[in-house]
Amino acid sequence: MITGKNYIGNQLSAKGSNTFTTFNPELNLENETVFTEATSQEIDEAVNLATTAFKEFRTISGTKKAEFLNTIADEILALDDTLIKTYCLETGLPEGRAKGERGRTVGQLRSFANLVAEGSWVEATIDIAQPNREPMPKSDIRKMLIPLGPVVVFGASNFPLAYSTAGGDTAAALASGCPVIVKSHPMHAGTGALVASAIVKAAQKTGMPNGVFSNLNSSGIEVGQQLVKHPKVKAVGFTGSIKGGRALLDAAAKRAEPIPVFAEMGSINPVVILPKALENRNQEIAKTYAGSITLGTGQFCTNPGLLLGIKSDALSSFVNTLSQEIMDINPSCMLHPNIKKGYNANKEKIVSQKNVAITANYESELQDNYANQAIVSVSGKSFLENPTLHLEVFGPFSMVVQCENEAELEEAIAHLEGQLTGTVISDENEIDNYESVIAALQNRVGRIIFNGVPTGVEVCESMVHGGPYPASTDSRFTAVGISSIKRWVRPFSYQDWPNNLLPKELQNENPNSIFRTVEGERTKNKI
Ligand code: NAP
């Protein structure tokens, strides 16, 4: 069923000579299927087809798009065990995680289907003409959100389903009316190919234009670079490293027509542990955090890589307890030898810095591709003086920063790079006394958590998964939840346009019965 070929719209294609295989990190060997990287010609074909498909797809009704998205979800579920087995073979992740992620992927597709079937998401806004206004007549102006055009989505290494081929970016872009070209992640090309086959089947079953979706294989950065530079591509979605995301942002900015790149990148997700909470719940917090740091072998963008507190006996005792707790957890497999290599290299970079104390490092001999979890500790002063200590170590690793006092804690937070999340661990009313620390944290993050862990991102309308750079390239948008559709649209106004030529969403009769803002009032009424 996995052919190793690219999907150029509904057609399978393998014109190139560059081939590669995926890797089973548990068994430390290459998987069998040979994938063919997309050629320049195939990239061009996919983008041209998407551009043609856009002409029709942009006008397709919300009901039809919903049918398409729901059918993709059905077809993914129909892949059943084949998909789950391929996912596990290509990632080293357990079956439970694969099934959980599939549930999330299907749930995302269905929530976008509901959004576009209902239709009010286009934010239709109408100001009616006033021909007799003095001193000048007022025109009839009507605004709504419209899709940008072909979108390139980069599959993420750490979420082969929920942030890859039919993941959040793809679901949101298709829901908005944008065709999607996926640059498949080479580490899980088979999982991607299966999901791509489900999308193509769904597109054919529901009568979508050929080219509404393509899936391109690649084993190096060239395919992605060419896609981002292609003049007919109008936006990019990416999840991965700061280096990769930044390279794509720069490439997009250098185009004759710059385009938006919505990249969700590195984050160390600071956790501020307040003194009383530490005194009263030392053991409980340490146990919870040992679990959160090692969850999914630490390969989550919301992994808590930085724990900050104020120097005290309780904080010293917490560092010891956390270190013991993390050593009691069995090491687990990383996604790929390259991710493990990156983990080891970045961990080494941190521990080789001045004044870094290693308080836990799982040193026993491990199976290939398994990660040695670690905890280190530094003073607030060292953390402030040395930006290398802010580096993301993608894996089961966290650093405790011991600040002299509240002022240093605030300063350390204020000097952090942008983050996806910030967490505050507090006893009941303790937080009330740390107003400026909390304000500093809010200024650096996209989501703030009270007495919890940052891992585990709920997919819902109120979720913000983004944050100031480099957590994401545009902190005004979220990459998770239905509001993420806003990344792929632009506002558009019609002035004095004939009623019968307007899109249904803006016509006087409101045929789709959506909520609109008419003369400043939110209503479903006709005009
Ligand atoms: P990555 O190196 O950022 O690559 C992600 C995707 O972008 C890959 O498909 C890669 O293509 C492409 N890419 C990278 N650099 C590029 C460039 N200069 N031009 C064009 N395309 C480029 O991430 P990864 O391989 O998935 O994981 C490696 C590291 O990324 C991890 O160790 C971790 O540090 C980080 N990461 C972070 C998060 C997070 O959420 N914070 C999530 C995942 C990964 P090719 O693979 O085809 O080269």
Side-chain angles (χ1 to χ4, degrees):
M1 208 169 175
I2 306 172
T3 62
K5 296 181 179 178
N6 305 281
Y7 271 106
I8 312 294
N10 300 339
Q11 294 303 312
L12 284 166
S13 177
K15 294 182 176 157
S17 52
N18 286 350
T19 57
F20 65 98
T21 55
T22 59
F23 195 83
N24 183 329
E26 270 288 353
L27 302 180
N28 200 35
L29 48 81
E30 287 185 2
N31 291 313
E32 276 173 14
T33 311
V34 175
F35 294 88
T36 307
E37 184 166 72
T39 62
S40 296
Q41 190 196 336
E42 286 170 318
I43 293 169
D44 222 31
E45 282 169 15
V47 180
N48 285 333
L49 211 52
T51 307
T52 308
F54 181 55
K55 290 181 191 161
E56 185 185 338
F57 192 52
R58 63 193 283 275
T59 62
I60 277 173
S61 73
T63 319
K64 281 298 286 178
K65 280 190 292 187
E67 197 186 329
F68 177 34
L69 293 166
N70 278 322
T71 310
I72 297 174
D74 296 341
E75 292 295 336
I76 289 175
L77 289 173
L79 290 167
D80 208 7
D81 260 9
T82 312
L83 179 63
I84 300 300
K85 284 202 174 105
T86 307
Y87 175 112
C88 295
L89 283 179
E90 292 185 326
T91 62
L93 293 168
E95 200 178 298
R97 160 76 193 268
K99 287 185 173 161
E101 204 183 317
R102 180 181 61 184
R104 181 173 168 155
T105 309
V106 164
Q108 286 175 165
L109 286 159
R110 298 210 194 283
S111 68
F112 279 110
N114 292 339
L115 182 78
V116 294
E118 192 281 329
S120 305
W121 73 274
V122 297
E123 296 178 1
T125 308
I126 299 173
D127 287 299
I128 299 164
Q130 294 173 16
N132 300 324
R133 189 180 71 173
E134 293 293 344
M136 297 269 288
K138 184 184 165 197
S139 291
D140 182 286
I141 316 265
R142 303 184 181 212
K143 180 180 79 171
M144 65 181 279
L145 301 174
I146 62 166
L148 291 176
V151 167
V152 168
V153 170
F154 283 73
S157 61
N158 59 342
F159 276 93
L161 293 172
Y163 284 91
S164 286
T165 322
D169 287 353
T170 299
L174 291 177
S176 76
C178 295
V180 170
I181 301 142
V182 166
K183 206 291 294 178
S184 175
H185 201 289
M187 287 189 211
H188 48 73
T191 307
L194 285 171
V195 175
S197 73
I199 300 176
V200 167
K201 238 188 205 172
Q204 288 173 320
K205 272 190 179 174
T206 57
M208 294 297 134
N210 185 17
V212 73
F213 175 82
S214 289
N215 184 57
L216 304 181
N217 296 321
S218 81
S219 61
I221 65 168
E222 294 77 16
V223 172
Q225 283 281 337
Q226 199 180 325
L227 279 167
V228 172
K229 289 176 187 165
H230 198 294
K232 290 182 181 167
V233 166
K234 297 301 174 199
V236 177
F238 171 91
T239 303
S241 64
I242 296 176
K243 193 166 154 238
R246 183 62 201 236
L248 297 176
L249 181 70
D250 290 345
K254 281 191 195 134
R255 291 168 41 129
E257 179 200 352
I259 52 166
V261 173
F262 296 101
E264 191 256 279
M265 304 177 288
S267 201
I268 51 175
N269 303 297
V271 179
V272 179
I273 314 179
L274 297 177
K276 274 200 192 143
L278 260 186
E279 265 170 42
N280 297 335
R281 292 187 283 132
N282 203 311
Q283 181 80 40
E284 175 207 320
I285 301 167
K287 199 172 179 60
T288 303
Y289 268 87
S292 177
I293 292 162
T294 52
L295 189 72
T297 326
Q299 300 165 119
F300 287 122
C301 42
T302 49
N303 190 57
L306 189 70
L307 312 175
L308 302 116
I310 298 170
K311 253 188 188 168
S312 68
D313 289 346
L315 184 56
S316 306
S317 148
F318 170 76
V319 173
N320 290 337
T321 320
L322 176 67
S323 301
Q324 278 160 19
E325 288 287 347
I326 208 155
M327 294 296 278
D328 286 345
I329 292 174
N330 284 334
S332 48
C333 190
M334 297 203 88
L335 290 162
H336 195 266
N338 288 344
I339 300 263
K340 165 92 187 277
K341 218 165 101 192
Y343 172 66
N344 282 347
N346 286 347
K347 192 168 84 167
E348 189 48 42
K349 212 172 193 174
I350 297 268
V351 301
S352 63
Q353 300 297 307
K354 247 183 14 197
N355 303 324
V356 173
I358 304 166
T359 62
N361 194 11
Y362 205 99
E363 274 169 350
S364 315
E365 189 72 12
L366 293 182
Q367 206 175 313
D368 287 314
N369 308 316
Y370 274 51
N372 306 67
Q373 56 256 37
I375 301 289
V376 301
S377 170
V378 295
S379 69
K381 185 167 178 286
S382 299
F383 187 74
L384 275 163
E385 283 172 358
N386 185 357
T388 304
L389 297 176
H390 300 202
L391 186 73
E392 180 188 33
V393 181
F394 195 67
F397 173 91
S398 197
M399 176 190 292
V400 183
V401 179
Q402 305 198 33
C403 299
E404 276 305 320
N405 48 37
E406 190 182 333
E408 194 176 77
L409 175 64
E410 186 184 331
E411 204 187 343
I413 294 167
H415 283 86
L416 281 174
E417 297 74 12
Q419 306 290 335
L420 292 170
T421 73
T423 304
V424 181
I425 307 290
S426 157
D427 255 15
E428 230 166 77
N429 298 325
E430 193 182 8
I431 193 168
D432 298 347
N433 304 323
Y434 291 88
E435 216 173 289
S436 56
V437 168
I438 307 307
L441 188 61
Q442 185 177 22
N443 199 34
R444 299 283 68 214
V445 307
R447 172 166 61 108
I448 200 160
I449 299 142
F450 185 71
N451 275 344
V453 290
T455 38
V457 181
E458 189 67 41
V459 181
C460 59
E461 197 170 346
S462 46
M463 175 54 70
V464 172
H465 192 65
Y469 184 86
S472 68
T473 44
D474 195 334
S475 61
R476 295 169 298 172
F477 297 91
T478 174
V480 170
I482 49 176
S483 315
S484 66
I485 198 171
K486 298 238 175 101
R487 295 171 300 166
W488 315 121
V489 292
R490 63 188 174 98
F492 184 88
S493 287
Y494 291 88
Q495 184 165 332
D496 293 329
W497 210 248
N499 186 54
N500 63 321
L501 297 183
L502 283 168
K504 285 201 168 62
E505 290 87 342
L506 296 177
Q507 287 176 2
N508 290 339
E509 300 75 15
N510 193 11
N512 294 353
S513 195
I514 59 171
F515 274 111
R516 313 190 289 187
T517 302
V518 180
E519 296 283 295
E521 190 194 329
R522 190 169 149 79
T523 173
K524 283 191 173 184
N525 290 347
K526 297 175 183 175
I527 292 166

